[in-house]
Structures are given as C-alpha cells and as structure tokens.
Amino acid sequence: MTTDPDLHRRRASSFGSQAAAYAEFRPDYPAAAVRWALEPVADRDRPHVLDLAAGTGKLTAALVAEGLRTTAVEPDRAMLAELRRTLPDVPAHEGTAERIPLPDGSVDAVLVGQAFHWFAPERALPEIARVLRPGGVAAGLWNQGDHEVDWITGLDEVTRGEACFADLSDEVGLPPHEEYEPVRRQRFPNRLRYTRDSLTAMVATHSRLLLLPEDERAQLLARVRGYLAARPETQRTEFEVPLVTLVDRAVRRWGSPRQ
Ligand SMILES: C[S@@+](CC[C@H](N)C(=O)[O-])C[C@H]1O[C@@H](n2cnc3c(N)ncnc32)[C@H](O)[C@@H]1O
C-alpha cells in the first residue's frame, strides 16, 4: 500500500487514461491459476463468478474461456468501456470493491486480478463476504516478473523499482480476515511472448509511469528500450517473458456474522 493516501488514490484511478494500451499489452492469466483459485467451488452447479476491478477484462476473458457464468465490476468508465467492447455478453457494472453493486449472497466466487492492493481492505473484505454465498471463495491474482531470472531483475532495476510487472514495490497478497478461512497461496508459471516494443509498452501502462510528467516518462521508457536492446535474452523479434502468477485464495466461513 502506498503510504501517501492521495498518491494511492491517484495511482488506483490512473489506468483509464491508457485503457486501450492496457488491454493490448498487459499480461493474460494462465488457466491453471484461475482453476486453482476456483477449486473450492468447482463442484457447484454453474458457479457464478464476479471479476472485481475487472479493468479491460483480462481476467474476465480467462473466466469466460473456462465456460463460467461471469459478471464484471469496475469503477473506471474508460476501462469498463474497453471491457464491454471486447466482451459484450458479460454483464458489466460500474462499482467499487468497497461498494459492490450486487445483492447479498449472489456469487460463488470473487476474483480480483492485479487490483486487491488498490482496495481499502478493511472495507473491501466484508463487502466481498457480503456478496459471496457461504463457502464461496475470494481470490487475488497477481502477474509478476520471475525474479529468479537475471534479466527480469535487471529490468526492474532499470526502472529504478518504479514499474515493471506488478507495481512490485507494493505488498501484494490477501490479508487474513475473520470472515474467511486462512489464506492459501500458490504460484503458477505464466510465460508470455513479447517484442521489445510491446514489452516497453506494457511497462508504460503501470500506474507509477502513468503519473510521471511526460519528459520523465519518456526518459524512463528510453532507458527500458536501451536495456532491452542490449540484453542477449531479448534479441529475437519475439521472445519469452517469464512471469509468475501469484494466487491467494480464502474461503468465506459458513458461520459469518451476517448469516
Ligand atoms: C492494474 S488494473 C487490473 C485490471 C484487471 N483486473 C486486470 O487484471 O487486468 C487495476 C484496476 O483496479 C481498479 N480499481 C482501483 N481501485 C478500485 C476499487 N477501490 N474498487 C474496484 N476497482 C478498483 C482500477 O480502475 C483498474 O481497472
């Protein structure tokens, strides 16, 4: 969590200015990660899944590909418009994690891609529990660079920790909460293909860069281009970028206070 609340709010609402680039360049989610997140409700008949903070619909698309009944909620109108354009059959509502526009006990799972760290957790976790049926699951997913890989660590250093795959300087993860069973965590490999241009464009969609003055942003992106031009791993036209999808999941307790 960014310590300055005003900066945190501005970063949380920065993505819409680059919605089309976000949709084009940000990483997708691996099916294995989505299936593991949903495992606690996998035996339910036609589980209803909410993609909360759905953005342009990256995680929504993975849920739809699994054949799941999916609803999306997202506060940013530009992001929501992009989602509605690419996934016109998915019910998509304007709303926040702290005030979800769905009835009590209406979904079996709430999935949050790359966004739980933008929420006010003390308000979002009870609100997520409200819309979940008992025994339903809340999960946060984060795509991150694989920091076992030298050139990925180097890329983070080039951006001076300002950007890269998951706003990595932010603590990610679901915190424990009384309305949920203990959090379980798994990591899944997520190897995606990029070019030097598309990887630079992906770095440019991170909130820290979106808020930089134009000249600083251009300088930082020039450094990224220079780094990628010099690394042996990124010399082919298309190369593999080793990402890891971290998933935290927590089952909503049956005996929650509101039951
Ligand atoms: C990094 S994007 C992730 C979008 C999408 N889930 C994905 O995986 O590509 C973060 C999203 O969180 C949304 N967001 C920020 N604060 C939020 C809040 N309090 N409640 C719901 N969504 C929020 C932003 O508008 C943005 O679309």
Side-chain angles (χ1 to χ4, degrees):
M1 160 95 178
T2 318
T3 43
D4 174 350
D6 179 55
L7 177 61
H8 188 83
R9 186 189 48 72
R10 285 193 296 126
R11 284 181 59 191
S13 58
S14 66
F15 300 101
S17 66
Q18 291 291 323
Y22 191 104
E24 186 170 356
F25 299 117
R26 278 289 189 110
D28 297 317
Y29 295 89
V34 169
R35 287 181 196 144
W36 186 80
L38 294 172
E39 201 177 65
V41 296
D43 59 353
R44 295 191 182 187
D45 185 32
R46 290 199 73 230
H48 181 196
V49 183
L50 168 63
D51 181 4
L52 181 58
T56 60
K58 298 236 145 229
L59 181 56
T60 326
L63 296 167
V64 170
E66 291 293 300
L68 292 155
R69 185 181 158 212
T70 306
T71 297
V73 166
E74 161 62 37
D76 186 288
R77 287 186 183 166
M79 299 294 263
L80 199 53
E82 189 66 33
L83 187 152
R84 287 179 172 143
R85 194 178 63 74
T86 50
L87 297 165
D89 296 333
V90 172
H93 310 287
E94 199 174 318
T96 66
E98 296 78 14
R99 196 161 182 184
I100 302 172
L102 294 182
D104 295 5
S106 54
V107 299
D108 299 286
V110 176
L111 263 54
V112 181
Q114 214 82 8
F116 190 88
H117 53 287
W118 297 125
F119 301 169
E122 68 291 349
R123 289 195 285 137
L125 282 169
E127 179 64 352
I128 292 170
R130 178 186 70 74
V131 300
L132 278 173
R133 301 189 177 113
V137 67
L141 295 84
W142 286 269
N143 281 316
Q144 306 181 317
D146 182 348
H147 284 86
E148 301 290 307
V149 178
D150 188 50
W151 76 267
I152 296 290
T153 314
L155 181 56
D156 258 1
E157 281 162 12
V158 167
T159 61
R160 289 206 218 98
E162 296 214 59
C164 213
F165 303 102
D167 289 317
L168 284 171
S169 57
D170 290 317
E171 250 322 282
V172 298
L174 282 190
H177 188 274
E178 60 184 7
E179 295 203 52
Y180 299 86
E181 304 287 348
V183 176
R184 292 189 56 195
R185 174 169 288 186
Q186 283 272 12
R187 289 183 171 82
F188 298 84
N190 191 14
R191 298 181 175 283
L192 298 176
R193 298 194 75 74
Y194 279 90
T195 64
R196 294 208 293 261
D197 281 347
S198 66
L199 187 54
T200 306
M202 191 274 269
V203 169
T205 64
H206 283 81
S207 64
R208 286 172 194 272
L209 269 86
L210 294 176
L211 295 188
L212 283 179
E214 197 45 51
D215 54 338
E216 282 180 44
R217 183 176 146 89
Q219 278 171 21
L220 199 148
L221 292 175
R223 283 212 303 276
V224 170
R225 272 191 212 95
Y227 175 79
L228 295 176
R231 287 295 307 205
E233 297 88 346
T234 54
Q235 293 309 303
R236 289 176 187 271
T237 310
E238 257 198 7
F239 49 87
E240 198 171 77
V241 178
L243 302 180
V244 172
T245 305
L246 180 147
V247 186
D248 273 3
R249 76 178 192 208
V251 170
R252 181 192 187 281
R253 289 186 196 278
W254 285 80
S256 290
R258 63 188 89 241
Q259 276 302 295

